[in-house]
Amino acid sequence: MTGFLLVLAVSVITCAGQLCQKQAAQVSADGMACVLRWLGLAVLLLGIGMLLWLRVLQLLPLSLAYPMLSLNFVLITLCARWFFHEHVDGRHWCGVALIMSGIALMSVSL
């Protein structure tokens, strides 16, 4: 169970890092200090995510852990919609639903 919670933590932390990258890309050139702060935060979060990922790999088989990381696609889609008001069409939502179904199937022990 700890491994699955760590996969969730890695997904959330790396998602936050990617959102910081997006925010840095949207800051105007006049605010270079602001860009550097967002990029610094992104590097910090992505670094923490990588360290946690190494722990996940100690706890779970790679064939199980890596596909579960596709939760990032779901989180990024939701965050892009909520925070950046990006348009997400129906086909994209169907893909999100399929990813969620796949993760649910993989997390159920037979």
Side-chain angles (χ1 to χ4, degrees):
M1 185 56 134
T2 303
F4 293 110
L5 291 176
L6 277 176
V7 169
L8 180 61
V10 168
S11 291
V12 169
I13 291 168
T14 57
C15 175
Q18 292 165 5
L19 293 174
C20 290
Q21 288 176 336
K22 173 72 172 178
Q23 187 63 37
Q26 290 187 331
V27 174
S28 68
D30 298 334
M32 188 52 76
C34 190
V35 169
L36 292 175
R37 279 192 295 268
W38 281 112
L39 287 177
L41 184 56
V43 167
L44 176 67
L45 290 167
L46 293 170
I48 291 168
M50 182 184 67
L51 292 174
L52 287 176
W53 177 247
L54 292 174
R55 181 65 181 141
V56 167
L57 293 177
Q58 290 175 335
L59 297 172
L60 295 175
L62 182 62
S63 61
L64 180 63
Y66 193 75
M68 293 190 77
L69 215 67
S70 59
L71 182 60
N72 278 3
F73 294 116
V74 176
L75 292 175
I76 289 295
T77 297
L78 294 173
C79 290
R81 177 80 177 109
W82 289 334
F83 296 125
F84 298 108
H85 308 288
E86 294 181 4
H87 174 72
V88 181
D89 62 14
R91 196 172 73 183
H92 195 116
W93 286 121
C94 287
V96 166
L98 288 171
I99 290 170
M100 294 294 289
S101 299
I103 291 170
L105 283 173
M106 286 180 42
S107 64
V108 175
S109 60
L110 298 175

